[in-house]
Amino acid sequence: MFTLKFGLYALGALAAAQSGLAAPAEDASVQYLPSKRDVIEEAPLYAEGGPKFTDVHKVFNFANQWFNAPLAACAATKAYRALIKDRLSVKDDGTAVGEVAVNFPWTPNGPQKIVVQHAQTPVNSTNDPWWPSAIKWAATNRENLGIEGLNGDGGVTEGKPEDAYRLITNREAARVSNPTPDDLNKYIFWASAAAIAIGMGDSAENITTWSAITKADPGPTEEGSIGYYDFESGTEKTMSSSDAEKNVRALIIDKITAEAQVA
Ligand SMILES: *[C@@H]1O[C@H](CO)[C@@H](O)[C@H](O)[C@H]1NC(C)=O
Ligand SMILES: *[C@@H]1O[C@H](CO)[C@@H](O)[C@H](O)[C@H]1NC(C)=O
């Protein structure tokens, strides 16, 4: 049941993302988007295998992890990459990709479409992936987005990762606090096809670090492990399932997957 629902959803999202794509001319002055789809460094969003979760670190301060973690989790999960691609539409006029429209189908105040100019973002060189920066600019500069922590002044204050998750995926997110070892098995080790953010800290009420699951090594009978993205160091780290039981105080996952896992 889970697989079927999820598979259909992912296919629909992919089809939608692909139908919106067209390659602008190459060698324009700014070309971070689909200009060269086969070379990931030159088209971090649209090339095969893109976007990558490591792109997120380059343009976000790690103080904003509640927003970063769901974004990186989506980039780390194949079926969810289409959802990120779906959020951005570029002008298809054959000229430089200097502008992108960021589409948020869901916010508490209704759908929003926010046009972002390349020059408005802090991206400096052609090696910086533009896509996370465009999403961040859109999320932080629209007044009345209605999301706690995104105040329209370009800054990010304390917010809820489930809001960021829904903003990015347009899928309602569930928070699982104090996951039991069984929950961890279900959500992390068995649901590696879903984007999952994890919260670590001394309690579910005091999460000090939000991170993204980057890979899961399922091991229902043996010790498994998870890869997670450490924003502070900009590296992927690994944690055993027993360490996950000790450290992970909250999980953010989409509601459909959460319900399918519980069923
Ligand atoms: C661009 O340069 C500024 C100033 O040196 C720096 O603060 C910013 O982090 C850089 N942006 C990226 C994406 O590296
Ligand atoms: C939250 O956790 C941090 C790091 O462990 C700790 O320094 C801080 O005192 C805690 N805050 C509360 C309110 O418990």
Side-chain angles (χ1 to χ4, degrees):
M1 195 57 184
F2 161 71
T3 309
L4 182 63
K5 256 196 212 167
F6 184 76
L8 287 175
Y9 184 85
L11 278 176
L14 266 172
Q18 280 163 0
S19 67
L21 292 189
E26 293 185 4
D27 301 324
S29 57
V30 180
Q31 43 178 305
Y32 306 93
L33 286 167
S35 53
K36 290 182 180 170
R37 289 192 218 176
D38 48 341
V39 183
I40 194 160
E41 285 73 25
E42 298 185 32
L45 183 61
Y46 289 106
E48 181 77 25
K52 295 185 294 189
F53 62 85
T54 47
D55 295 344
V56 177
H57 181 254
K58 295 180 178 165
V59 284
F60 285 81
N61 184 310
F62 58 77
N64 308 332
Q65 290 149 333
W66 70 268
F67 193 90
N68 295 357
L71 190 57
C74 290
T77 309
K78 196 174 178 195
Y80 286 64
R81 285 182 198 134
L83 299 179
I84 293 179
K85 292 176 187 183
D86 233 7
R87 290 295 80 82
L88 296 121
S89 47
V90 294
K91 262 201 209 159
D92 179 26
D93 61 0
T95 61
V97 184
E99 182 180 297
V100 66
V102 179
N103 304 294
F104 294 133
W106 171 87
T107 79
N109 292 332
Q112 308 277 335
K113 180 173 173 174
I114 301 156
V115 174
V116 182
Q117 306 293 329
H118 183 265
Q120 288 173 312
T121 69
V123 173
N124 299 319
S125 81
T126 49
N127 296 325
D128 293 333
W130 187 30
W131 70 266
S133 208
I135 289 177
K136 186 191 179 187
W137 196 94
T140 56
N141 284 280
R142 170 63 53 94
E143 274 176 49
N144 306 319
L145 209 56
I147 294 178
E148 195 184 325
L150 304 175
N151 309 314
D153 58 2
V156 182
T157 53
E158 201 65 32
K160 297 195 192 84
E162 48 270 60
D163 288 345
Y165 196 106
R166 191 167 180 194
L167 186 70
I168 297 154
T169 64
N170 192 26
R171 306 180 77 175
E172 209 176 324
R175 182 188 289 228
V176 181
S177 291
N178 294 314
T180 63
D182 263 9
D183 289 335
L184 282 168
N185 272 333
K186 276 188 275 190
Y187 293 119
I188 296 183
F189 301 115
W190 295 353
S192 57
I196 301 177
I198 50 170
M200 294 180 276
D202 57 10
S203 72
E205 293 70 43
N206 186 25
I207 302 286
T208 43
T209 310
W210 286 104
S211 188
I213 298 287
T214 52
K215 61 172 184 271
D217 179 17
T221 54
E222 303 151 31
E223 175 90 333
S225 69
I226 55 169
Y228 65 102
Y229 191 45
D230 178 55
F231 290 106
E232 196 159 348
S233 64
T235 58
E236 190 179 19
K237 293 189 173 172
T238 303
M239 149 163 82
S240 66
S241 50
S242 48
D243 280 344
E245 284 166 25
K246 275 182 246 148
N247 300 332
V248 177
R249 302 272 57 92
L251 296 169
I252 308 293
I253 188 169
D254 71 74
K255 218 173 157 195
I256 295 171
T257 303
E259 281 166 4
Q261 288 298 301
V262 170

